[in-house]
Amino acid sequence: MPWPEDALALGSLPRPLRRGILWPTVLAVSAGLTACAPSLDWREVRVGAAESVALFPCKPAAHARELPLAGQQVKLTLHACQAGDATWGLAWADVGDPARVAAALQALQEGVRANLSGARAQARPHSVKGQTPHPSSGRWSLEGRFPDGKPVTGQVAVFSRGTFVFQATALGVVEGSEAADTYFGALRFGP
C-alpha cells in the first residue's frame, strides 16, 4: 500500500521528522485531531504481526514505510484512525534480531516524546497478553505540542513479542480515561 504523502506536510516538519524518525507518530500527529465522532465504535482488528490483536474505536487504515529505527532499516506498519477527538494508532516492525529489541523499544519511546515536544511521565507497568517480557516495555502519559504548536495530551505504550516491536498511541486522551484504558487493556497476542 502506498504511503499517504498527501497526509504529511513534509516541508513544514522539523528536520529530524523529515528524515523518517517514527513515522507512525508523525502520521497520527499530522492527521490532527479535527475529526469528531459522536461515539466510539469499538472493533477488534488483527494487525498481522506476531498474531497481534487490537480493539480500535474506529476503522483503522493501514500504511507501511521503510525507515530507520535504532540504526537499521525496517518496514514499519501503522494502523491508525480518528474517533472521539483522538487519534488512535498501533505501529509495528520486525527488527529481525532479539539483540535489537531493546534499542528499538527505546527509540520508539524517545521518538514519540521528541516528536510531540513532550515530557514523559514516569513509566507505569503495562503488560500485553502474550508479549515477550522486556524491561523497556511500559506505558507513559504525555503532555506536549504538535509541530504547529497546539498542545496535546496522550498515552503511549511500547512492547514486544519475539523480534517484533510495537508502539500503541492514543493522542488526545488523558490518563485514566475509559477509552484509553479500553484501548490499551485490550491489546493482546493470539486468538
Side-chain angles (χ1 to χ4, degrees), residues 53-96:
V53 180
L55 187 64
F56 278 91
C58 43
K59 185 177 180 182
H63 310 282
R65 179 172 227 172
E66 293 284 329
L67 59 89
L69 178 66
Q72 71 173 12
Q73 277 300 113
V74 297
K75 177 182 177 185
L76 196 73
T77 302
L78 167 70
H79 287 74
C81 61
Q82 293 180 328
D85 290 331
T87 301
W88 309 85
L90 180 62
W92 59 272
D94 185 358
V95 296

Side-chain angles (χ1 to χ4, degrees), residues 45 52 78 127 170:
V45 177
S52 55
L78 167 70
S127 178

Side-chain angles (χ1 to χ4, degrees), residues 140-191:
W140 294 264
S141 296
L142 296 172
E143 290 186 25
R145 297 199 173 274
F146 286 117
D148 67 2
K150 281 189 192 175
V152 63
T153 59
Q155 303 282 302
V156 63
V158 297
F159 50 94
S160 64
R161 179 169 176 150
T163 60
F164 289 89
V165 294
F166 295 82
Q167 178 191 61
T169 55
L171 299 177
V173 298
V174 295
E175 183 175 358
S177 74
E178 183 178 340
D181 289 344
T182 298
Y183 177 66
F184 289 103
L187 295 167
R188 72 177 196 276
F189 295 97

Side-chain angles (χ1 to χ4, degrees), residues 3-68:
W3 194 265
E5 293 296 337
D6 60 325
L8 301 171
L10 295 178
S12 65
L13 294 177
R15 185 176 179 89
L17 299 181
R18 289 192 308 252
R19 288 187 300 190
I21 298 173
L22 296 170
W23 280 101
T25 302
V26 174
L27 180 63
V29 169
S30 66
L33 298 176
T34 57
C36 181
S39 65
L40 302 178
D41 183 14
W42 295 98
R43 67 200 64 216
E44 188 173 279
V45 177
R46 296 187 183 283
V47 298
E51 299 179 352
S52 55
V53 180
L55 187 64
F56 278 91
C58 43
K59 185 177 180 182
H63 310 282
R65 179 172 227 172
E66 293 284 329
L67 59 89

Side-chain angles (χ1 to χ4, degrees), residues 93-146:
D94 185 358
V95 296
D97 180 354
R100 294 180 174 164
V101 170
L105 289 173
Q106 188 66 35
L108 290 172
Q109 291 172 33
E110 294 303 319
V112 71
R113 187 174 137 253
N115 288 343
L116 294 178
S117 303
R120 183 174 67 196
Q122 186 71 21
R124 65 178 174 155
H126 183 76
S127 178
V128 173
K129 181 182 175 190
Q131 80 177 45
T132 302
H134 199 282
S136 295
S137 296
R139 181 172 161 188
W140 294 264
S141 296
L142 296 172
E143 290 186 25
R145 297 199 173 274
F146 286 117

